């Protein structure tokens, strides 16, 4: 089949190469003609590629009904491209936005293109540049009939799920695909922050060298409950030497984390759907705090911490942090799945949560050994449900509390790990102190309250 692709940045170029390797004739276009020439020079022998120097030529070289993938920067750039390309298309053509677009923008664009009798798919793609080339996890949403037409190619392009399937499925109508990709990125934020906090504890309290950190994370990656792409690459990061100085590269990287907005979008969406995702929100906050490097350096000399005594012996610290990390990562996944469940019902997307867990098992950034368990749990596997629940009991829970307490006492910020424990306690507490908040709201604003001893809504004369 033919596939058109607009945007030959790293992700776009690699998706084009992936499609060609899997039998598609790929017509490529980039606004910067030189980039198209460079792509053809480097990769034309890898498959069947056709280059176009203008958007008009690009459309002409595609046979209707056309399928066109847009790999341009999310936001206004997508709208600008649609303004340019839509008048050149014909009834029945399909546009696939495979960038990190906001799901509400995808809803708006699909409705608009429907008026032009065009199909629109908003497709989240995870796996970075390597995944785009060798097999990503893909989350297409929107027009199902249009998806089914392109599904044979996408199925070949996607990563393996480890059980004879591939990591692509139709997520749901409208903006469902981009919503699920956004939540994926939110979970990614949470796990990355939890790994950073674990690193901070081991380095500052345990005094682990980078060699020891590499060995520790590599060992943790052998545990079925921690095995994951993110832990795998974390171990490798601690081994990397700087090409210029020969020093450990990790120690030369400035401690200011960037972000492209998907984490914030996840917290915004959670607020709008009334879902608490404190781990992910804390991770977004932590990146924001990290960006204030000058202020932090100034405060570090002005505000000396008053620390409590007590640090675990190195081997005990490593084992304890591993337990706290495991329970916190489990909680981060749970936040994302809860958000998808609530939003899916409210938007009437009919999200298949076990299927989403399945397509995250390969290709994507948050792929891990836990996802098969979540997949089974959401299909009603009582044994797996019991196994996951039991991990939060007894000594594991005590260790989790001990690690968070130790971090607080020693002045090590663990915002996501402590948020994970706090939300766990919130959800297991039968009576919370929010009765006081309701009393306060009724006192100053006559907002009323419910009672424990009888039904109805009440207001007191305070």
């Amino acid at each position: 089949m033919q596939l058109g692709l607009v945007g030959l940045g790293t992700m776009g170029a690699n998706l084009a190469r992936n499609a060609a390797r899997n039998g598609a004739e790929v017509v490529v276009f980039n606004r910067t003609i030189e980039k198209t020439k460079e792509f053809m020079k480097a990769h034309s022998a890898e498959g069947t590629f056709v280059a176009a120097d203008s958007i008009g030529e690009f459309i002409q070289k595609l046979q209707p009904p056309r399928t066109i993938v847009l790999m341009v920067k999310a936001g206004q750039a997508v709208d600008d491209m649609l303004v340019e390309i839509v008048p050149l298309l014909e009834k029945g053509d399909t546009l696939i936005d495979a960038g990190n677009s906001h799901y509400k923008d995808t809803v708006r664009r699909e409705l608009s293109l429907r008026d032009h009798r065009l199909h629109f798919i908003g497709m989240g793609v995870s796996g970075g540049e390597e995944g785009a080339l060798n097999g990503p996890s893909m989350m297409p949403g929107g027009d199902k009939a249009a998806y089914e037409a392109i599904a044979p190619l996408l199925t070949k392009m996607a990563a393996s799920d480890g059980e004879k399937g591939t990591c692509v499925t139709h997520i749901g109508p409208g903006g469902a695909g981009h919503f699920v990709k956004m939540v994926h990125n939110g979970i990614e934020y949470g796990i990355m922050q939890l790994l950073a906090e674990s690193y901070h504890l081991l380095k500052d309290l345990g005094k682990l060298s980078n060699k020891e950190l590499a060995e520790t994370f590599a060992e943790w990656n052998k545990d079925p409950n921690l095995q994951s792409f993110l832990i795998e690459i974390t171990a490798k990061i601690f081994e990397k030497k700087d090409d210029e100085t020969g020093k450990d590269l990790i120690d030369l990287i400035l401690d200011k984390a960037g972000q492209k907005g998907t984490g914030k979008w996840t917290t915004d969406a959670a607020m709008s759907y009334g879902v608490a995702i404190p781990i992910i929100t804390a991770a977004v906050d932590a990146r924001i705090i990290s960006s204030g490097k000058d202020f932090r350096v100034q405060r570090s000399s002005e505000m000396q911490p008053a620390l409590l005594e007590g640090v675990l012996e190195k081997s005990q610290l490593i084992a304890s942090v591993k337990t706290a990390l495991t329970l916190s990562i489990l909680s981060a996944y749970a936040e994302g799945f809860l958000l998808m469940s609530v939003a899916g019902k409210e938007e009437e997307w009919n999200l298949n949560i076990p299927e989403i867990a399945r397509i995250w098992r390969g290709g994507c950034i948050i792929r891990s050994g836990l996802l098969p368990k979540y997949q089974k749990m959401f299909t009603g596997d009582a044994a797996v449900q019991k196994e996951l629940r039991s991990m939060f009991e007894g000594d594991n829970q005590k260790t989790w509390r001990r690690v968070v307490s130790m971090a607080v006492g020693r002045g090590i910020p663990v915002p996501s790990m402590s948020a994970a424990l706090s939300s766990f306690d919130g959800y297991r507490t039968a009576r919370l102190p929010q009765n006081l908040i309701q009393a306060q709201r009724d006192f100053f604003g006559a907002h009323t309250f419910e009672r424990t001893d009888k039904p109805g809504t009440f207001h007191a004369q305070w």
Side-chain angles (χ1 to χ4, degrees), residues 279-294:
I279 302 168
I280 296 169
T281 300
V284 175
D285 287 342
R287 293 198 189 191
I288 295 170
I289 290 172
S290 79
S291 68
K293 175 69 173 178
D294 293 341

Side-chain angles (χ1 to χ4, degrees), residues 117-175:
R117 297 186 178 181
L118 299 173
H119 304 295
F120 190 69
I121 293 172
M123 183 170 74
V125 179
S126 178
E129 56 185 275
E130 182 180 345
L133 178 62
N134 297 315
S137 174
M138 292 184 278
M139 295 150 258
D143 192 310
K144 189 169 185 180
Y147 164 74
E148 289 173 348
I150 190 70
L153 176 60
L154 295 182
T155 300
K156 292 178 182 178
M157 292 173 62
S160 169
D161 68 359
E163 291 190 349
K164 299 182 180 180
T166 60
C167 295
V168 62
T169 192
H170 184 255
I171 299 295

Side-chain angles (χ1 to χ4, degrees), residues 2 26 57 83 103 196 288 308 310 343 346 348 359 390 405 453:
Q2 263 195 331
V26 185
E57 182 186 0
V83 168
Y103 71 100
I288 295 170
L308 301 178
E346 186 165 326
E348 298 182 345
I359 67 166
S390 68
S405 298
D453 56 350

